[in-house]
Amino acid sequence: MRKIIHFVHVSLDGYIEGPNGEFDWPVMGEELSAYSFSLMERADTFLYGRPVWEMMAGYWPNVEAISDHPHDLKFAPIWRSSPKIVVSRTLTEPGHGARVINGTNLVEQITALKSEPGKDLILMGGATLAAELTAHGLIDEHQVVVHPVLLGGGKPLFPASKQRLGLQLVDSRTFDAQNVLLCHRPASR
């Protein structure tokens, strides 16, 4: 069965975006970039919630006109050619080769997706979809890259929940002498 890997960047104070929705603070150094490409080798499909999808779809199709960062230039063709799935109750035509899974029967749809042949799926960023899939036991691994910045507010990595979930640390690494990867799996597995 395919796994869902939640790969997300977070500030030291626990936010995935700043108070005004800004996402200009993650630093993609050479080591973190290399690690992210090795993670892509495990997967063949990107999974997004609508807000992250809209950010990605606004950046990656024309990144060469926006950025000259080596990571961006290397990742863009991978993003363009990879299957992409957007979970949304409102979006119907996402474009850029993506298909939509609506929010109806989400657990059944994601379970079926995990049962399809292929490599793992990478859930890129986000909070709401990650929290919902986590609550239903559908995230197999959380890979959280902690960046050395305090945003002072914004969108938390996980919204408040009444449910407690034990996690097991299975890996940690430091990249570029500044970022720390924390890799957790549900403790029950």
Side-chain angles (χ1 to χ4, degrees), residues 4-5 7 17 28 57 62 98 106 122-123 148 154 157 166 173 182:
I4 295 180
I5 302 162
F7 185 69
E17 59 184 50
M28 185 63 75
N62 302 306
L106 181 62
I122 297 180
L123 171 59
L157 174 56
R173 300 181 192 182
L182 301 172

Side-chain angles (χ1 to χ4, degrees), residues 121-139:
L121 300 105
I122 297 180
L123 171 59
M124 299 295 284
T128 305
L129 179 59
E132 190 167 350
L133 296 181
T134 298
H136 291 288
L138 293 168
I139 301 286

Side-chain angles (χ1 to χ4, degrees), residues 39-115:
L39 184 60
M40 304 299 161
E41 292 172 8
R42 288 180 53 188
D44 62 5
T45 304
F46 293 113
L47 183 61
Y48 299 99
R50 187 199 43 79
V52 175
W53 169 253
E54 289 176 347
M55 180 181 69
M56 299 294 270
Y59 187 74
W60 292 109
N62 302 306
V63 73
E64 293 85 355
I66 302 167
S67 173
D68 61 358
H69 193 282
H71 174 83
D72 291 357
L73 299 177
K74 184 176 177 182
F75 181 70
I78 295 169
W79 185 87
R80 289 184 193 121
S81 65
S82 295
K84 296 168 276 295
I85 299 170
V86 183
V87 176
S88 175
R89 292 177 181 90
T90 58
L91 192 63
T92 56
E93 297 294 328
H96 307 292
R99 68 179 171 114
V100 173
I101 291 178
N102 65 29
T104 308
N105 301 318
L106 181 62
V107 172
E108 292 83 6
Q109 290 185 70
I110 297 295
T111 300
L113 181 63
K114 289 178 73 170
S115 296

Side-chain angles (χ1 to χ4, degrees), residues 5-9 35 39 42 141-145 181-184:
I5 302 162
H6 178 213
F7 185 69
V8 63
H9 298 273
Y35 176 78
L39 184 60
R42 288 180 53 188
E141 210 170 282
H142 294 277
Q143 295 207 11
V144 180
V145 179
L181 169 74
L182 301 172
C183 180
H184 290 89

Side-chain angles (χ1 to χ4, degrees), residues 124-178:
M124 299 295 284
T128 305
L129 179 59
E132 190 167 350
L133 296 181
T134 298
H136 291 288
L138 293 168
I139 301 286
D140 299 283
E141 210 170 282
H142 294 277
Q143 295 207 11
V144 180
V145 179
V146 182
H147 291 263
V149 61
L150 299 173
L151 296 177
K155 183 182 281 187
L157 174 56
F158 286 102
S161 171
K162 295 178 182 168
Q163 178 184 9
R164 180 184 290 193
L165 175 65
L167 299 172
Q168 176 184 11
L169 181 67
V170 294
D171 193 13
S172 64
R173 300 181 192 182
T174 302
F175 297 114
D176 307 300
Q178 65 181 350

